Amino acid sequence: MDDLRILHRTLDLCLKVGEVLLSSGAGAADVVATMRALARALGVRHTQVDVTFTSLTMSVQQAPDEPPVVQFRAVTQREIDYEDLTRVDHLVRDVVAGDVDLEGARTQLAQIVSSGHARPRWAASLGWGVMCAGVGLQLGGSLIVVVVALLAAICIDRLQLLMTRRRLPGFYQQVAGGVVATVLAALGTRLAEPWVHLNASLVVTANIIMLLAGIGFMGAIQDALSGFFVTGGARILEAVLATAGIITGVSGGLSLCAAVGIEIPSLTLPRLDLAGVTSVGVGGGIAAAAFAFASYAPLRTLLPVGVLGGLALAATEAMDEAGFGRTFAVGLSAFAIGLFGYTVGRRFRVPPLVVVVSAVVPLLPGLSIYRGLFLLGQDGGRLAAEGLLAMVTAASIAIALASGVILGEYVAQPVMR
């Protein structure tokens, strides 16, 4: 009886650990490997783990003539929380090393998931604002663009937090974020018009990248590539719906602004030179580090994440200007992020997911999405072909990002060994 009780408590611990990993965006293959390694370290072998998008199942059959013991856990909360993810990763490492027993692990895990964050929630909102300010800088925006992007991002985050507490689905939160970003950018342009020119398009683009940052492209593509097609398909559908919400919100915001007579001018970007590439890299580094800060990543990771994200974006822009093509340049930079992100994660004792997801944020295709939406609504639809091409480019960039990062991680693992 005591053995059966210990078995149940072990499976329960593994399922709770898997829930934290899955809800934070980890791939299904990583979740399965972690749960099985944890069970093996606690003396439970030959376990079977089944992962879907919304549930985890773990079973073990101790003898051929005994019924299997099966436990199930639903995954209902999905929030980017790199602090809990890092602490759980350290806990699993301690258990596997034999430094923590079953009861100690259960106690520590309960403390992790119930203790909240050392960083207040308003600091996370400020982090989202700084992230959008960094994106505005990397797009070549002026000081007024950076300030308006920062304020709009904080407003969007607080609105989405309120909608989350009201338990509204994520699709409607993305729609609301897109509308708020567009309307605030248009109002800022009108209010600042007597004194200074405000490129509202850059503000909208910065906020689109903020909304894209929380979408689990990496986990979706990783699940599909590693054979977890059900989970991968569900995650891809979630990412498509979230992106569709952004597109709907921004498109509705543009139509609303046009209806009330506050039109946003067409997007113009400066030609990049060496100084421009440097500015792009600095802005990208700020955006990557601020995203990590807003996601509660440990403070020791902010500098390496910022450096990696800034260098990757500067390299992408340099290759794009040299004629390599945007998608190829993004894919190559994402491969480098995956390759070095795995190494940086081990060096700073955080899961590689914390490093790579934060570092790819400046490369997200917010500019292509906005350009496509703008062209689709221009001149009565006569530029629809160019708009559709921009949207296809955005999709190809997203796929290149995810697949490049994952390939880099696969290459990095045997190299490190």
Side-chain angles (χ1 to χ4, degrees):
M1 190 57 134
D2 288 340
D3 290 343
L4 185 59
R5 179 172 175 272
I6 292 174
L7 176 60
H8 280 293
R9 294 171 73 84
T10 301
L11 296 183
D12 179 69
L13 173 67
C14 295
L15 287 169
K16 289 178 178 177
V17 168
E19 181 185 11
V20 174
L21 297 177
L22 191 64
S23 62
S24 298
D30 293 336
V31 174
V32 170
T34 302
M35 292 174 63
R36 297 182 75 173
L38 183 60
R40 191 181 307 113
L42 294 172
V44 180
R45 300 183 178 275
H46 310 297
T47 55
Q48 298 294 325
V49 181
D50 183 44
V51 179
T52 66
F53 184 59
T54 56
S55 65
L56 290 166
T57 305
M58 192 171 190
S59 64
V60 60
Q61 188 171 13
Q62 295 179 304
D65 55 347
E66 292 184 7
V69 177
V70 182
Q71 287 196 17
F72 168 87
R73 191 170 185 87
V75 181
T76 56
Q77 183 179 2
R78 298 187 179 277
E79 180 184 2
I80 301 176
D81 191 338
Y82 290 153
E83 181 181 351
D84 285 356
L85 181 66
T86 301
R87 294 170 67 186
V88 168
D89 180 72
H90 291 173
L91 175 60
V92 172
R93 291 174 184 269
D94 291 340
V95 173
V96 172
D99 298 331
V100 180
D101 60 5
L102 173 60
E103 295 306 317
R106 289 175 58 85
T107 301
Q108 290 188 34
L109 183 61
Q111 293 173 348
I112 290 172
V113 299
S114 63
S115 60
H117 303 101
R119 210 169 296 161
R121 185 60 182 81
W122 62 263
S125 297
L126 182 60
W128 288 114
V130 175
M131 190 202 89
C132 286
V135 174
L137 180 61
Q138 82 179 45
L139 293 174
S142 60
L143 178 61
I144 185 65
V145 168
V146 170
V147 172
V148 174
L150 185 148
L151 296 176
I154 293 176
C155 293
I156 292 171
D157 179 67
R158 303 312 293 184
L159 174 63
Q160 290 189 332
L161 179 61
L162 178 62
M163 296 177 72
T164 300
R165 290 173 177 170
R166 298 279 182 173
R167 299 188 178 182
L168 289 173
F171 174 81
Y172 301 107
Q173 296 182 29
Q174 297 291 80
V175 172
V179 172
V180 170
T182 309
V183 172
L184 288 181
L187 288 176
T189 302
R190 178 59 61 88
L191 293 175
E193 189 174 8
W195 299 280
V196 65
H197 171 69
L198 170 62
N199 192 335
S201 300
L202 298 185
V203 176
V204 177
T205 302
N207 292 131
I208 288 177
I209 293 178
M210 170 197 170
L211 296 171
L212 287 173
I215 299 176
F217 284 114
M218 306 303 163
I221 301 299
Q222 183 178 3
D223 289 348
L225 293 176
S226 56
F228 291 85
F229 299 111
V230 174
T231 307
R235 281 183 161 178
I236 289 173
L237 179 59
E238 183 195 42
V240 169
L241 281 176
T243 307
I246 299 171
I247 294 171
T248 302
V250 174
S251 179
L254 290 172
S255 300
L256 179 62
C257 292
V260 298
I262 309 177
E263 294 193 11
I264 297 179
S266 60
L267 177 63
T268 57
L269 292 177
R271 181 76 179 178
L272 290 177
D273 52 13
L274 183 59
V277 171
T278 303
S279 176
V280 162
V282 172
I286 292 173
F291 172 82
F293 179 85
S295 302
Y296 303 105
L299 294 178
R300 63 180 179 274
T301 64
L302 300 187
L303 180 59
V305 163
V307 171
L308 186 60
L311 290 177
L313 181 61
T316 300
E317 295 295 340
M319 287 187 286
D320 190 17
E321 288 296 312
F324 284 90
R326 185 71 182 181
T327 303
F328 177 80
V330 166
L332 194 58
S333 296
F335 173 78
I337 289 174
L339 188 65
F340 292 104
Y342 186 85
T343 307
V344 171
R346 293 194 60 175
R347 173 66 180 82
F348 288 88
R349 300 187 72 246
V350 295
L353 183 71
V354 175
V355 178
V356 299
V357 173
S358 302
V360 301
V361 163
L363 300 175
L364 290 172
L367 182 60
S368 296
I369 290 177
Y370 177 79
R371 181 175 285 158
L373 290 175
F374 193 88
L375 291 173
L376 286 173
Q378 284 289 94
D379 297 331
R382 281 178 287 182
L383 300 177
E386 295 182 31
L388 290 175
L389 178 61
M391 299 300 288
V392 171
T393 301
S396 65
I397 289 174
I399 295 174
L401 268 177
S403 57
V405 163
I406 293 163
L407 179 61
E409 289 187 356
Y410 277 126
V411 172
Q413 292 176 15
V415 170
M416 289 293 293
R417 287 197 296 269

